Amino acid sequence: MTAPLWTAFDIASATDGEVFGDFAAHGVAFDSREVGPGDLFVALKGEATDGHRFVDGAFAAGAAGAIVSDAVNGPHVRVADTVAALDALGAASRARTNAKIIGVTGSVGKTGTKEALFAAFDRAAPGAAHRSLKSYNNHVGVPLSLARMPADTRYGVFEMGMSAAGELAALTRLVRPHVAVVTTIAPAHSAFFASEEAIADAKGEIFQGLEPGGTAIIPFDSPHRDRLIAAARPYAGRIWTFGRGEGADIRAREAVRGHRGTLIAATLPGAELTFSLAPPGDHWVANAMAVIAAVHAVDGDLAAAGLALADMAGLAGRGRRVTARVRDGDALVIDESYNANPASMAATIALLGEEKAGRRIVVLGDMRELGEKSPVYHAALAQPLAQANVDFALLVGPEMAALANELEGRVDFAHVPDAAAALARIDDLIEAGDAVLIKGSNAIGLARLVEHLGSGAVAAGNKPCSI
């Protein structure tokens, strides 16, 4: 049996709590539906629900103990505030590790970059790398991900997100990264920001938590490069840029697309590296440069990183490819159902245009949180759809009305109100030989279409399309 992640007395020491029944936990969860045998259940109190209602269910699922603020049956640590206790547990986990810590943020590409970094470190040090699971990147998910990190971890990779100014500053001071990476800045969450420059400023908060002498990694080709450099300068011991352009510190000098991926020749400070990148697209070339930069910054194994990037597969909701069985044959389904913003929409539509297929079909859901410019951003998708020679577009949600108006006479389309209506049409729409891109904000629920089409499906090869 491996050493426990937390003992009851460790938890009490970290959270200023009181032990009621000794226990040892091997995992941490705040969602009772995710609790497994031996886990610690943190009963969070929020505006919508109270985790104390699910403590009995967590123990029934095998929880070893719980963090609570009310008296409960079963071994537990009682604290004044369970949300503050989770923060404290995350901080204690960070304090006890000697791991190299990498923080990742950005409007686009942060989850894919985080997963690629984990794959690189896990390849070099199997079982000694840790990362945020799913998209646990907010004020609750980040401390949870920290609390789940074993003490003997060698490399930790943490995704950090935000929807308001000041949020990243708090998260990064909890994570205290040795390396802070910003991927792409784009108009995501623009409903909460006055401009894209304001989004860049909020993303630049990640540098405020850098450990002394830490490295800031910034997209060279971004129009916000200089703004991000200025944000990093007071906190970073070293600033590296990555990208395709002349002058980038970590640069893809050559990127040649082939049948099995992209062959990249990269130049780094004091090194050169040639490797294959499995995920297609220029956005993934940029992501790969960010990964290589972060690995190099912590003196990691660049060869192992190159091998990991060659083996990268698509993530569910972020580029996974499945084969749908349709009548007389198969259709390719590209699952981008988890998230959408103008930059990621344009990138994945362009990749669809490169697919060799009988027909190219898109199922596009609303892009949420774009504010008053939402109609402009949605209508602007007409151009990439036309350039990709899309044969048919199924538009889902009220905000897609702007794109529907723009597509009149340009691309065949249908506009439906919600995912349920799209699900009712999808079987009649798709034919054998089609390539189908399904993409929208997660709240639209287009994952239901992917699940339906993928029922009994097999993987369509190791050639993902993630953003």
Side-chain angles (χ1 to χ4, degrees), residues 313 320-325 330 332-333 454 456-463:
R320 178 183 53 147
R321 293 184 168 213
V322 297
T323 297
R325 309 292 186 193
D330 298 333
L332 170 65
V333 177
V458 297
N462 188 25
K463 186 186 168 192

Side-chain angles (χ1 to χ4, degrees), residues 2-295:
T2 58
L5 185 64
W6 296 102
T7 68
F9 292 95
D10 290 336
I11 296 166
S13 176
T15 63
D16 196 23
E18 185 177 0
V19 175
F20 291 84
D22 193 14
F23 64 89
H26 291 267
V28 185
F30 58 64
D31 185 336
S32 62
R33 295 166 296 183
E34 296 183 356
V35 169
D39 280 352
L40 168 68
F41 175 63
V42 186
L44 299 180
K45 285 187 176 181
E47 295 180 3
T49 189
D50 183 351
H52 292 79
R53 294 169 47 203
F54 308 103
V55 169
D56 289 344
F59 281 122
I67 295 178
V68 296
S69 55
D70 302 335
V72 299
N73 294 321
H76 62 275
V77 174
R78 197 176 305 170
V79 299
D81 181 331
T82 54
V83 174
L86 181 58
D87 272 358
L89 197 64
S93 179
R94 176 65 184 88
R96 72 183 183 180
T97 186
N98 291 318
K100 294 295 185 181
I101 303 297
I102 294 88
V104 182
T105 194
S107 305
V108 181
K110 57 183 177 291
T111 299
T113 299
K114 177 256 297 182
E115 290 294 325
L117 275 165
F118 171 77
F121 291 128
D122 189 58
R123 187 92 175 215
H130 174 81
R131 92 291 206 184
S132 315
L133 293 179
K134 302 181 179 178
S135 286
Y136 282 164
N137 62 18
N138 64 6
H139 67 287
V140 176
V142 169
L144 175 71
S145 297
L146 281 166
R148 287 174 165 177
M149 180 170 59
D152 60 354
T153 295
R154 288 178 56 188
Y155 301 100
V157 187
F158 296 91
E159 177 182 337
M160 289 177 267
M162 60 87 200
S163 57
E167 290 182 352
L168 260 176
L171 294 178
T172 189
R173 290 189 175 107
L174 188 62
V175 173
R176 291 169 37 216
H178 297 97
V179 178
V181 179
V182 177
T183 58
T184 300
I185 303 298
H189 303 300
S190 57
F192 309 114
F193 295 92
S195 65
E196 198 168 291
E197 288 76 14
I199 295 173
D201 290 341
K203 294 297 185 182
E205 292 174 12
I206 192 173
F207 306 125
Q208 296 178 22
L210 274 169
E211 287 287 88
T215 303
I217 296 178
I218 290 169
F220 179 85
D221 303 310
S222 170
H224 308 292
R225 177 190 64 209
D226 293 342
R227 197 177 195 94
L228 291 169
I229 290 173
R233 193 169 284 125
Y235 307 99
R238 177 172 61 185
I239 298 174
W240 279 351
T241 58
F242 67 90
R244 303 287 294 271
E246 288 275 0
D249 296 303
I250 292 83
R251 178 176 172 240
R253 190 177 68 255
E254 293 183 47
V256 181
R257 184 81 178 273
H259 177 66
R260 294 182 178 274
T262 304
L263 182 65
I264 296 176
T267 301
L268 297 77
E272 291 195 352
L273 181 68
T274 299
F275 63 96
S276 291
L277 171 66
D282 286 344
H283 59 289
W284 253 109
V285 174
N287 291 348
M289 291 300 96
V291 169
I292 295 300
V295 171

